[in-house]
């Protein structure tokens, strides 16, 4: 990468840093979408298909041109061999790019990026746990991806852990949403009722903290499984943490609905 490109990237980063509000969010989402491995794989597929079609069309055109020249001219000279050579080269390139396109379409696509996380306001009791949750989700995603690639635990254990982690995160965000609603209600409530609402917020925050502890246990079990050299113990730890987190997520959902 040349110095000119580095300079352009730096300037682009500075411009994004100067943006505020919805425009900045849209730019960041566009950049994240461009860097997304799934979007990158889809772009590679499309490019390979376009190249295969281009080389196929070129081969057909040059081959047809050779036939026309041979038919129309009594002394075609070097035109026909040149066109035939171009057709052969195009045909080989078309086959090569076609095989590449086929292989790219056979490969499974990477997982898409998670949806952008909108944190609660800075004064909310839900902000700090939700900030931790966003970071914890990234950590779990990386750990489970490496566990799957290294085949240190069975695929079904990784799938179950990933699914349970997503369910737990959803349940935790539902509790956070309740906290924010109660906080807004407290602002408009009579002074005599604000103490009771404050206690309710504290109780909900305690539920969030408990849920984050359970989510942290899943992270710890995943990390132990990735660091271990044997298979039996990591699988047991990961399965146990997954089961406990699933029970906790179920309890949080019931409380949110209650």
């Amino acid at each position: 990468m040349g110095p000119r490109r580095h300079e352009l990237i730096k300037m682009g980063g500075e411009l994004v840093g100067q943006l505020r509000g919805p425009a900045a969010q849209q730019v960041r989402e566009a950049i994240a979408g461009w860097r997304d491995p799934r979007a990158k794989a889809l772009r590679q597929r499309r490019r390979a298909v376009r190249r295969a079609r281009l080389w196929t069309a070129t081969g057909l055109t040059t081959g047809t041109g050779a036939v026309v020249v041979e038919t129309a001219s009594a002394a075609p000279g070097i035109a026909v061999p040149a066109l035939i050579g171009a057709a052969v080269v195009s045909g080989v390139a078309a086959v090569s790019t076609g095989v590449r396109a086929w292989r790219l379409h056979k490969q499974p696509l990477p997982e898409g990026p998670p949806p952008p996380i909108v944190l609660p306001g800075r004064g909310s009791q839900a902000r700090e746990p939700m900030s931790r949750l966003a970071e914890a989700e990234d950590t779990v995603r990386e750990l489970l991806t490496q566990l799957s690639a290294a085949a240190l635990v069975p695929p079904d254990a990784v799938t179950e852990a990933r699914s349970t982690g997503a369910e737990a995160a959803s349940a935790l965000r539902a509790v956070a949403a309740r906290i924010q609603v109660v906080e807004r209600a407290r602002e408009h409530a009579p002074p005599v009722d604000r103490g009771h609402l404050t206690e309710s917020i504290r109780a909900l925050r305690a539920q969030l903290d408990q849920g984050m502890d359970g989510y942290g246990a899943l992270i710890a079990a995943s990390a132990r499984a990735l660091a271990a050299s044997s298979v039996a113990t990591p699988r047991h730890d990961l399965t146990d943490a997954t089961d406990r987190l699933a029970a906790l997520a179920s309890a949080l959902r019931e409380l949110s609905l209650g």
Side-chain angles (χ1 to χ4, degrees):
M1 183 181 295
R4 178 59 178 170
R5 188 172 181 183
H6 276 298
E7 184 180 349
L8 290 173
I9 292 174
K10 182 179 179 181
M11 290 174 59
E14 292 175 352
L15 288 174
V16 172
Q18 294 174 3
L19 294 175
R20 295 292 185 271
Q25 183 64 25
Q26 291 175 1
V27 172
R28 293 190 186 98
E29 289 177 0
I31 293 174
W34 181 261
R35 294 175 177 174
D36 169 33
R38 183 183 182 89
K40 181 178 179 180
L42 289 171
R43 290 196 299 271
Q44 289 176 337
R45 286 182 176 185
R46 290 193 292 267
R47 281 197 298 265
V49 170
R50 286 197 300 267
R51 288 172 181 171
R53 289 175 177 172
L54 177 62
W55 282 114
T56 300
T58 302
L60 290 174
T61 301
T62 52
T64 303
V67 172
V68 171
V69 171
E70 176 69 22
T71 303
S73 178
I78 64 171
V80 171
L83 288 172
I84 292 176
V88 171
V89 171
S90 299
V92 172
V95 172
S96 176
T97 54
V99 170
R100 173 172 171 75
W102 177 79
R103 288 176 177 172
L104 288 173
H105 281 77
K106 290 288 290 183
Q107 294 176 357
L109 289 172
E111 290 188 18
I117 303 300
V118 179
L119 293 176
R122 293 188 180 278
S124 174
Q125 286 292 313
R127 182 179 178 87
E128 190 269 340
M130 289 299 96
S131 178
R132 288 164 49 203
L133 177 61
E135 296 177 358
E137 284 183 294
D138 289 338
T139 302
V140 166
R141 192 177 300 109
E142 293 175 5
L143 286 169
L144 294 180
T145 297
Q146 293 193 33
L147 275 177
S148 180
L152 293 174
V153 295
D156 59 340
V158 174
T159 301
E160 184 66 22
R162 182 177 288 114
S163 175
T164 301
E167 292 176 2
S170 177
L172 288 168
R173 289 195 171 93
V175 176
R178 288 186 68 187
I179 289 178
Q180 294 175 81
V181 171
V182 177
E183 286 175 335
R184 289 195 297 269
R186 182 181 58 182
E187 294 177 0
H188 303 285
V192 68
D193 294 323
R194 291 178 184 174
H196 174 70
L197 293 177
T198 298
E199 289 301 319
S200 298
I201 292 170
R202 289 174 181 168
L204 290 170
R205 171 61 190 265
Q207 293 174 18
L208 270 186
D209 290 337
Q210 183 183 6
M212 287 305 304
D213 289 342
Y215 204 96
L218 178 63
I219 293 177
S222 301
R224 286 195 299 270
L226 186 61
S229 57
S230 62
V231 175
T233 301
R235 179 182 184 180
H236 174 75
D237 289 347
L238 183 60
T239 301
D240 182 58
T242 300
D243 290 342
R244 285 188 279 113
L245 184 58
L248 181 59
S250 177
L252 289 174
R253 282 194 298 270
E254 291 178 2
L255 289 171
S256 296
L257 296 174

